[in-house]
Each structure stands twice: as structure tokens, then as C-alpha cells.
């Protein structure tokens, strides 16, 4: 059974940094796509960053230049490096991965940025 578990969330002051990790289990094959999205209170869930198996990335416009997504294929783990955090980044962050036409989601980790 494929499982995704996020970690690294917490409380940070504006301008600070956090690294989110998403550890996966249940498959020895690399995921075609791994990504992070987030959902703030009262708002829709949005894609934050995405990386495919070839290393191509996409970012939400508001996080470009501040966030960086990377993956360790040997560990089937994806990371989100978040820098220059803003209060607007406060949300529950979810890990996503897709393999062989199937989608998987983690349960989320809370990121709170104080002003």
C-alpha cells in the first residue's frame, strides 16, 4: 500500500525558512509526478510546486524565487524548501505523488507564519 507522510511543518516568523519532507513507502518505482499543494482557511486548495521524474518543475506564481521543490529518487522522497516566508503562506501543506495512473495524497502538515 502506497503511503505518503509529510513532516517539517511548524511555526516560523515572517522572513524565516522551513523545509517540508514527504516520505513515501509501498513502492520501489519512482513516481512520475511529486508535488506540494496547500489550503489556507476559507480558501481552495492550490498547487504550490510540482516536479516530474525528469526534474522539470512548476511553481505557484506567488512562491517563485522563494520556494524550491526537489526529490530524492533513491528514497522516493520529495522536499519543499521554503524561504522568505510570508503570513500569506500559512496553510496546511499536502504532499502528492502519482505513479502508473494512480494518485496518492498525504494527510498534511501545518505551516504557520507569524508577522
Amino acid at each position: 500500500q502506497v503511503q505518503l507522510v509529510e513532516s517539517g511543518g511548524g511555526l516560523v516568523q515572517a522572513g524565516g525558512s522551513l523545509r517540508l519532507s514527504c516520505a513515501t513507502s509501498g513502492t520501489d518505482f519512482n513516481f512520475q509526478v511529486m508535488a506540494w499543494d496547500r489550503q489556507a482557511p476559507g480558501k481552495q486548495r492550490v498547487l504550490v510546486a510540482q516536479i516530474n521524474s525528469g526534474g522539470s518543475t512548476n511553481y505557484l506564481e506567488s512562491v517563485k524565487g522563494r520556494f524550491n521543490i526537489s526529490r530524492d529518487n533513491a528514497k522516493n522522497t520529495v522536499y519543499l524548501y521554503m524561504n522568505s516566508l510570508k503570513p500569506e503562506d500559512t496553510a496546511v501543506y499536502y504532499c502528492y505523488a502519482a505513479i502508473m495512473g494512480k494518485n496518492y495524497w498525504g494527510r498534511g502538515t501545518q505551516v504557520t507564519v507569524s508577522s
Side-chain angles (χ1 to χ4, degrees), residues 14-54:
S17 300
L18 283 175
R19 186 190 75 169
L20 304 184
S21 300
C22 177
T24 69
S25 62
T27 181
D28 291 329
F29 298 100
N30 290 328
F31 293 96
Q32 281 80 30
V33 176
M34 304 185 80
W36 291 91
D37 64 9
R38 70 188 185 190
Q39 186 169 26
K43 296 187 177 181
Q44 295 293 115
R45 186 181 296 195
V46 298
L47 177 69
V48 176
Q50 181 183 64
I51 185 168
N52 68 14
S53 60

Side-chain angles (χ1 to χ4, degrees), residues 10-12 38-41 43 67 85-93 110-115:
L11 175 64
V12 64
R38 70 188 185 190
Q39 186 169 26
K43 296 187 177 181
F67 290 13
L85 283 162
K86 304 175 180 180
E88 307 93 90
D89 297 317
T90 295
V92 177
Y93 284 70
Q110 176 71 48
V111 172
T112 302
V113 184
S114 65
S115 59

Side-chain angles (χ1 to χ4, degrees), residues 49-105:
Q50 181 183 64
I51 185 168
N52 68 14
S53 60
S56 179
T57 59
N58 291 295
Y59 294 93
L60 180 68
E61 185 67 27
S62 63
V63 309
K64 285 183 178 179
R66 300 190 297 118
F67 290 13
N68 182 65
I69 187 170
S70 64
R71 60 190 290 172
D72 184 337
N73 289 331
K75 298 179 180 180
N76 258 351
T77 299
V78 64
Y79 305 93
L80 185 66
Y81 295 86
M82 304 185 293
N83 303 303
S84 301
L85 283 162
K86 304 175 180 180
E88 307 93 90
D89 297 317
T90 295
V92 177
Y93 284 70
Y94 298 90
C95 181
Y96 163 84
I99 185 169
M100 298 181 181
K102 299 189 68 175
N103 303 318
Y104 302 92
W105 294 92

